[in-house]
Amino acid sequence: MIKHPLAFAVAAALTLAGAGQAQSARDYISVVGSSTVYPFTTAVAEQFGKANANFKTPKVESTGTGGGFKLFCGGVGVQHPDISNASRAIKKSEVETCAKNGVTDIVEINIGFDGIVLASSKKNQPMPLTIKDIWLALAKEVPDPATGKLVMNNFKTWKDINPALPANKIEVLGPPPTSGTRDAFVELVMDHGCKEFEAIKALEKSDEKKAKAACQTIREDGAFIEAGENDNLIVNKLVANPNALGVFGYSFLEENLDKIQGETINGVAPSFESIADGKYPVSRPLFVYVKKAHVGVIPGIKEFVAEFTSEKAVGDDGYLGKKGLIPLPDDQRKQVAANANSLKTLSP
Amino acid sequence: MNKATSPNGATPPHERDIKTIVNAGLARRHAAERRFRWYGLTAITLGLAFVVLMFANIINKGLPAFWQTYIQVPITFDAAALDPEGQRDPRALAGADYNALVRAGLRQLFPKVEGRLPLRALSALVSTDASYDLQRRVLADPQLIGTQQEIWLLASAAVDTFVKGNIDRGLEEANRPIKDNQIDWIDQLRAAGKIERQFNAVLFRSGDSREPEQAGIRGALMGSFFTLLVTFLLSFPIGVATAVYLEEFAPKNRWTDIIEVNINNLAAVPSIVFGLLGLAVFINFFGLPRSAPLVGGLVLSLMTLPVIIIAGRAALTSVPPSIREAALGMGASKLQMVGHHVLPLAMPGMLTGSIIGMARALGESAPLLMIGMVAFIVDVPKSFLDPATVLPVQIYLWSDLPERAFVERTSAAIMVLLAFMILMNGLAILLRKRFERRW
């Protein structure tokens, strides 16, 4: 009885599919992946489009690192993206998925670093934190100082953790587990902070899985507040609540220096220089992955890679630096550019 | 109260009792009435207060984005630099170094500036688009070559934000994006009348950009237009046909009941599910391109169809049966009865439902994430197959960028979206008021 509309819909869809197939040649580069790398790739894409009148501006989708690799590894062909942004290196399992779908030659480009900062309102006293303090403040279970056994984290104020810190309530606003920033925070801060304790080290020897969980599990009693993926929102919440700390990317600190301050971690304040020379402990490399099989099929990929690795973009004075990307050291940068421009693929 | 039982005309005792009981409860009932009214009033006031607060906040933030700072710079279109061969060859003209012209013009304004860093700070007063702007001007009118012109160049986002008063000059130099020497130059320019705010045409003329001062909503608007056009062209005819068939022709049996329940359920399905469906069916199965308004329109029409069908059926049931009986009685066929009488009478209601469904589709962003429309797209889409994004997605993307100047643009885009929403809902109300008949 609803045969008519259904048949009509199917017929219409089939016609449309025909239109889709007819338009199989894509003449613009398609980029997917991490929302952290998105602000940088888009800047390069725009510059590339403006400087090259004969190429269209690449399309950059913000899908998240994992979602990006899923699409990127979908196969070879114009319906699959050419480039994937990632706020972490590609995983072995992802390389395998890629290979299964025929995506074997992948070029990895390390475009620079992104610092992760703990920041608070300017109205707050600066807090000289250490990675150990942060872990004690945020881990779900911490070693009991007397017995060394893991007990529920009962620290209420920063002073409880370290007498040198102010008696402010522990309140940290951070990204949810789906975010790459959260992964990096856990890996760079939590994983290192817990290693400062003998109890965890001992546990690691006996039960590695349990030790990992003890290191990485963040407390759920309200001290760590998942504030969503939008870093601007966290900045605004910090201004409204001077006692809270926020976790986000360095570019948001740089853009809001009039309202917030970055806390020193292990004695190093987050700044362009301290992240660039590796003194600031919480920074991660950012990557772009290129599908070599698409070079020559989709116009402009080679030129786009050249733009992305040029000194003009990722150099010490590059326009990506102005957007908050921390450049690689000189020699490493030259190496990356040489590898990328010769399309050297990941070794299997 | 049986009057026959009261022979003397006096009020019988049990009637008095009722009166006392009623009177005793009256104050309480009136109070309950007043309380209830008061609850309603509070709810409405609260709701209105939130709406006003939201609008005030958005307009307050977004209004400045409709004006943009420009700096007047004397530009010498030097023939030797632009077109050394004198051929006026467009390719040679396009490849010339327009940045040098901008730098020379700024140095002419401030001849005393020396040194690499101060000169860089000086160039940073104008947008990086300034050189492309000059290029476009020269390509459009090669007569400019060899002349000197006072040209209003787009100021950079930092200057714009400062001129709009969103950067406190009392801050420490290191903590603001605009430095002491730049503030000094801006003050001089202001005193000379060489800095002014003009209507922000860029916002409506260009596509997305990573530089706030060059970013516009044209691309997103065109994307929304194409997407909604597909949605309307698909969902309206199919929706109306389905509603008419189910209401007027279909037999009442278990199958139609199942279909009805399913349509009602579909209207309540979270929109992201339609995105997943669109990804699986339209992109993976039919091989349609990602990020295309065509696919977006298909997905959104899946979402709006149930709304249109339900509204359509409600409009059809509100047409009284007497109209149908009269038409049939006069010898009209069933199709004539529907086509000539019932459908025209139900149309205003159907259109109202469709417009409200379309307004919902206009504000939707979640299902589009799955089909690749959450993307940075600079080129304004020209067809149903060009990569495109839509207005709500543009708002979402801008709200997530670190640059301060995107805050006001985000709010400005919200204002444009709200204006379209109000327009569409207003149209729906107008249609209902003017054409809908009540029986």
Side-chain angles (χ1 to χ4, degrees):
Chain A
M1 58 207 58
I2 65 154
K3 252 182 203 153
H4 284 304
L6 247 188
F8 178 67
V10 169
L14 283 174
T15 334
L16 296 169
Q21 243 101 41
Q23 193 269 167
S24 52
R26 176 156 54 82
D27 58 352
Y28 56 87
I29 299 171
S30 164
V31 187
V32 294
S34 163
S35 54
T36 309
V37 187
Y38 171 90
F40 308 124
T41 306
T42 46
V44 178
E46 186 178 359
Q47 205 59 40
F48 170 78
K50 271 192 174 165
N52 297 283
N54 40 343
F55 296 124
K56 282 197 175 172
T57 309
K59 174 190 88 180
V60 187
E61 282 182 46
S62 172
T63 62
T65 303
F69 279 131
K70 230 183 222 165
L71 291 164
F72 181 79
C73 292
V76 173
V78 285
Q79 70 272 34
H80 301 291
D82 316 311
I83 294 174
S84 190
N85 295 325
S87 57
R88 56 164 168 80
I90 189 167
K91 285 183 193 161
K92 217 174 158 202
S93 58
E94 286 161 341
V95 175
E96 280 159 13
T97 319
C98 262
K100 220 185 285 160
N101 292 323
V103 185
T104 46
D105 289 340
I106 304 168
V107 182
E108 182 185 74
I109 306 171
N110 180 356
I111 57 166
F113 294 107
D114 175 37
I116 293 173
V117 299
L118 257 102
S120 67
S121 160
K122 285 230 139 159
K123 287 176 226 149
N124 200 354
Q125 280 286 315
M127 285 203 275
L129 295 169
T130 64
I131 285 199
K132 190 176 162 191
D133 294 339
I134 303 172
W135 187 76
L136 279 179
L138 296 180
K140 191 173 181 189
E141 291 182 319
V142 292
D144 187 40
T147 62
K149 264 174 92 181
L150 286 176
V151 290
M152 281 308 265
N153 190 343
N154 270 327
F155 293 122
K156 293 271 180 284
T157 69
W158 290 98
K159 206 180 168 110
D160 295 346
I161 293 168
N162 181 347
L165 294 172
N168 290 341
K169 200 176 142 207
I170 298 172
E171 232 182 324
V172 179
L173 305 164
T178 47
S179 147
T181 311
R182 167 78 167 259
D183 289 346
F185 178 76
V186 167
E187 194 181 306
L188 295 163
V189 178
M190 303 299 283
D191 270 353
H192 289 264
C194 68
K195 301 278 156 66
E196 312 241 340
F197 296 90
E198 290 304 323
I200 302 277
K201 274 190 198 156
L203 188 62
E204 205 171 21
K205 279 186 196 119
S206 58
D207 189 344
E208 209 173 311
K209 242 186 184 163
K210 223 171 168 181
K212 200 176 165 196
C215 285
Q216 298 191 340
T217 312
I218 288 183
R219 66 200 281 191
E220 287 151 358
D221 56 357
F224 185 86
I225 302 156
E226 279 168 14
E229 297 261 12
N230 192 321
D231 290 349
N232 279 321
L233 204 67
I234 299 186
V235 171
N236 286 339
K237 284 186 176 163
L238 290 185
V239 174
N241 179 1
N243 277 337
L245 291 179
V247 179
F248 42 79
Y250 171 72
S251 35
F252 288 85
L253 172 67
E254 195 183 35
E255 202 52 43
N256 293 290
L257 277 172
D258 54 336
K259 297 184 203 157
I260 52 174
Q261 58 191 354
E263 306 295 357
T264 58
I265 295 181
N266 291 354
V268 186
S271 72
F272 195 84
E273 291 75 22
S274 67
I275 300 171
D277 61 20
K279 281 199 188 104
Y280 183 74
V282 196
S283 72
R284 56 172 159 176
L286 300 179
F287 297 95
V288 160
Y289 291 88
V290 183
K291 207 179 275 177
K292 195 176 177 181
H294 282 192
V295 176
V297 179
I298 306 294
I301 295 184
K302 251 191 130 141
E303 291 79 357
F304 183 66
V305 168
E307 171 79 36
F308 220 138
T309 51
S310 68
E311 282 295 298
K312 192 168 70 140
V314 292
D316 286 329
D317 273 339
Y319 57 81
L320 290 185
K322 288 197 196 100
K323 300 257 170 241
L325 181 75
I326 315 290
L328 298 172
D330 276 339
D331 45 343
Q332 204 183 337
R333 201 163 65 228
K334 281 195 189 106
Q335 190 60 46
V336 166
N339 287 349
N341 286 313
S342 61
L343 297 172
K344 191 170 165 215
T345 55
L346 279 177
S347 43
Chain B
M1 277 165 265
N2 199 340
K3 291 256 184 224
T5 57
S6 54
N8 299 332
T11 324
H14 63 270
E15 201 166 313
R16 208 166 42 229
D17 285 351
I18 289 174
K19 219 169 189 175
T20 353
I21 292 168
V22 167
N23 280 340
L26 210 53
R28 193 169 44 81
R29 280 166 62 200
H30 281 172
E33 191 106 332
R34 268 196 307 276
R35 263 204 313 277
F36 185 73
R37 273 197 212 167
W38 192 79
Y39 292 150
L41 209 65
T42 322
I44 291 176
T45 325
L46 212 65
L48 273 180
F50 279 126
V51 169
V52 168
L53 202 72
M54 186 189 82
F55 270 64
N57 184 21
I58 290 171
I59 291 174
N60 186 26
K61 270 194 202 152
L63 215 50
F66 292 100
W67 284 269
Q68 176 69 42
T69 310
Y70 283 79
I71 300 175
Q72 195 181 35
V73 182
I75 299 287
T76 314
F77 292 96
D78 187 3
L82 291 179
D83 190 17
E85 301 186 4
Q87 301 291 316
R88 299 289 187 263
D89 174 19
R91 229 176 311 152
L93 288 181
D97 184 5
Y98 291 91
N99 245 325
L101 297 192
V102 178
R103 280 199 300 267
L106 285 167
R107 281 197 84 162
Q108 202 176 325
L109 281 176
F110 300 102
K112 280 190 209 128
V113 179
E114 295 280 353
R116 199 173 72 95
L117 283 177
L119 279 175
R120 270 231 325 255
L122 184 62
S123 311
L125 287 183
V126 296
S127 164
T128 50
D129 188 54
S131 56
Y132 296 100
D133 181 27
L134 294 183
Q135 181 196 40
R136 286 190 293 268
R137 282 170 196 256
V138 168
L139 288 178
D141 179 17
Q143 302 281 316
L144 283 173
I145 297 171
T147 62
Q148 182 174 10
Q149 307 273 337
E150 292 282 332
I151 288 183
W152 286 101
L153 293 176
L154 193 59
S156 69
V159 172
D160 184 53
T161 316
F162 177 75
V163 169
K164 283 172 180 165
N166 292 336
I167 298 174
D168 183 4
R169 64 166 76 203
L171 284 169
E172 256 178 82
E173 187 177 19
N175 290 347
R176 49 179 146 79
I178 198 139
K179 303 301 165 207
D180 286 343
N181 51 4
Q182 289 176 316
I183 291 184
D184 190 36
W185 296 324
I186 292 171
D187 289 340
Q188 288 181 38
L189 285 169
R190 245 193 204 149
K194 286 184 180 297
I195 203 161
E196 72 173 29
R197 278 199 257 169
Q198 300 176 359
F199 177 69
N200 188 357
V202 175
L203 188 65
F204 296 96
R205 203 174 51 206
S206 42
D208 199 1
S209 168
R210 276 295 282 122
E211 306 304 325
E213 75 277 5
Q214 300 167 32
I217 53 170
R218 176 70 166 271
L221 271 180
M222 290 311 285
S224 274
F225 170 74
F226 284 127
T227 308
L228 282 189
L229 196 64
V230 173
T231 307
F232 185 76
L233 289 181
L234 275 174
S235 59
F236 186 67
I238 298 178
V240 169
T242 312
V244 168
Y245 183 80
L246 284 177
E247 203 54 46
E248 304 290 335
F249 295 94
K252 273 264 162 234
N253 59 23
R254 190 190 303 201
W255 288 107
T256 42
D257 282 349
I258 291 178
I259 289 170
E260 191 176 337
V261 168
N262 271 309
I263 289 174
N264 290 345
N265 270 340
L266 269 182
V269 166
S271 56
I272 186 88
V273 176
F274 291 107
L276 286 165
L277 187 73
L279 174 68
V281 176
F282 301 127
I283 294 181
N284 292 345
F285 186 70
F286 286 122
L288 289 173
R290 271 180 83 78
S291 317
L294 177 67
V295 182
L298 284 167
V299 167
L300 291 180
S301 45
L302 289 180
M303 208 188 74
T304 29
L305 255 178
V307 178
I308 294 182
I309 294 171
I310 292 169
R313 294 188 66 179
L316 285 169
T317 32
S318 73
V319 177
S322 55
I323 304 258
R324 295 182 181 87
E325 281 154 17
L328 291 176
M330 295 298 288
S333 72
K334 214 165 177 190
L335 189 64
Q336 284 173 326
M337 177 265 282
V338 171
H340 295 176
H341 303 281
V342 179
L343 203 53
L345 288 171
M347 209 29 114
M350 287 181 153
L351 276 174
T352 308
S354 317
I355 291 171
I356 288 169
M358 298 297 289
R360 195 185 137 196
L362 173 67
E364 200 57 68
S365 66
L368 303 178
L369 176 74
M370 290 290 142
I371 55 165
M373 289 184 86
V374 178
F376 175 77
I377 288 151
V378 174
D379 302 325
V380 176
K382 293 190 189 68
S383 79
F384 295 102
L385 292 169
D386 283 345
T389 186
V390 294
L391 214 40
V393 170
Q394 189 69 78
I395 291 165
Y396 161 72
L397 286 174
W398 279 357
S399 76
D400 209 13
L401 289 172
E403 285 86 358
R404 184 77 59 85
F406 272 115
V407 174
E408 59 175 38
R409 274 163 184 77
T410 307
S411 294
I414 294 174
M415 283 165 73
V416 173
L417 182 66
L418 277 176
F420 276 104
M421 293 275 191
I422 291 171
L423 212 70
M424 286 171 85
N425 285 320
L427 191 69
I429 292 171
L430 193 81
L431 276 174
R432 201 166 56 214
K433 280 250 144 77
R434 295 210 74 170
F435 299 108
E436 193 168 46
R437 286 188 46 190
R438 294 193 174 277
W439 283 278

